[in-house]
Amino acid sequence: MASEATLKQVLERLAKSLSTLENAVEMRLEHEGDFAEAEEEVQRMNMDRRKLAQELDASEGRAERLEAANKEVSRRLVAAMESIRTVLDR
């Protein structure tokens, strides 16, 4: 009878240990799933950052071209105004 009680206790402890192990595995899988989701989000953010960096570079290039065009237009306007003054002064 003592060996039956001991066997029953051992089986109960084994069942409890297995249950604890199953819970730990489930928690680990949930955490790994959360980690995978976070990693995917970081990858999406990096792709967005690269895209935004490319758009910024393109915008900066366009701004530089517009600034150069603005300076050229300004130079031409000054030259035209000087030509008009010269003609009016005659």
Side-chain angles (χ1 to χ4, degrees):
M1 188 109 148
S3 62
E4 284 182 26
T6 304
L7 180 59
K8 185 176 180 181
Q9 290 173 344
V10 168
L11 289 175
E12 287 175 357
R13 286 193 344 227
L14 178 61
K16 187 176 181 181
S17 295
L18 287 174
S19 176
T20 302
L21 179 61
E22 287 174 351
N23 290 335
V25 168
E26 285 178 19
M27 289 178 61
R28 175 69 183 253
L29 292 175
E30 286 177 18
H31 289 311
E32 286 179 7
D34 292 344
F35 180 73
E37 289 175 11
E39 189 172 322
E40 289 173 5
E41 181 65 23
V42 168
Q43 289 176 355
R44 281 192 297 273
M45 290 170 64
N46 282 334
M47 288 189 320
D48 287 346
R49 185 193 59 78
R50 281 191 291 272
K51 181 181 174 187
L52 290 172
Q54 290 172 346
E55 290 175 2
L56 178 61
D57 289 344
S59 294
E60 287 175 342
R62 184 171 185 264
E64 289 173 2
R65 289 190 304 275
L66 288 172
E67 184 176 353
N70 186 34
K71 285 180 182 179
E72 178 63 19
V73 167
S74 178
R75 185 190 65 76
R76 288 182 182 186
L77 282 174
V78 168
M81 289 187 316
E82 288 176 2
S83 294
I84 291 172
R85 278 193 191 122
T86 302
V87 169
L88 290 177
D89 287 342
R90 289 185 188 170

